[in-house]
Amino acid sequence: MFKQRSGNFENMGMKMNPAFTVALLLIDQKPSHGYELVDRMEEFGFASKDQTFIYRILKMLEMNKLVESKWDTSNPGPAKHVYSITDDGKAVLDNLIGELRNSITIYQKIIDIYEKNKNGGENEKF
């Protein structure tokens, strides 16, 4: 099982890199192979020009048992690794989404205070 430190995923850089969260989310929605994930990640602003980034992410996720892969030989052409999320991966995704929710609340508070101050409102403290 993937080990957390203080509720964060610092040793993988997952908290700092949204690509990990997006990859887990997309694999949770539908088991996928690397090229398919590259295409699907474009919706989140990840450019498909450097396709190697997804394979580094997938390798790290698989090494930490957050996803697992199986060979798909059902289609014509070369076999492909198809990645699916594990139970540990689902738990990590839940935690990452929780951290995102907390971050959104903090960022919205910062924006609200900034806009209030900018528009002549009183200085507000956290």
Side-chain angles (χ1 to χ4, degrees):
M1 182 164 152
F2 180 73
K3 295 185 181 182
Q4 298 180 21
R5 283 194 312 203
S6 305
N8 295 327
F9 306 96
E10 296 163 4
N11 55 341
M12 279 182 62
M14 289 183 67
K15 185 175 178 183
M16 299 301 293
N17 187 342
F20 286 101
T21 306
V22 172
L24 280 173
L25 175 68
L26 294 176
I27 294 168
D28 187 40
Q29 285 181 325
K30 176 184 174 226
S32 305
H33 57 80
Y35 287 123
E36 181 180 7
L37 285 170
V38 168
D39 290 341
R40 293 173 66 204
M41 289 183 79
E42 283 184 8
E43 178 182 341
F44 293 88
F46 295 97
S48 63
K49 293 175 186 171
D50 176 21
Q51 297 180 358
T52 59
F53 84 97
I54 190 64
Y55 293 102
R56 289 190 300 268
I57 290 169
L58 290 169
K59 182 177 181 180
M60 193 168 287
L61 292 173
E62 191 167 28
M63 285 174 46
N64 285 281
K65 302 187 183 330
L66 303 180
V67 300
E68 59 189 10
S69 67
K70 295 181 181 172
W71 285 104
D72 178 11
T73 58
S74 63
N75 294 318
K80 298 175 183 171
H81 272 112
V82 174
Y83 296 86
S84 57
I85 195 166
T86 63
D87 289 341
D88 286 347
K90 288 180 185 221
V92 167
L93 179 59
D94 285 346
N95 191 296
L96 289 168
I97 296 299
E99 289 188 18
L100 280 174
R101 283 189 179 112
N102 290 338
S103 294
I104 289 168
T105 301
I106 292 167
Y107 290 133
Q108 189 60 57
K109 178 81 170 168
I110 292 168
I111 291 167
D112 292 347
I113 291 170
Y114 171 80
E115 288 177 349
K116 183 176 180 182
N117 290 341
K118 185 177 178 182
N119 294 324
E122 291 185 29
N123 290 339
E124 189 173 326
K125 296 181 180 177
F126 284 94

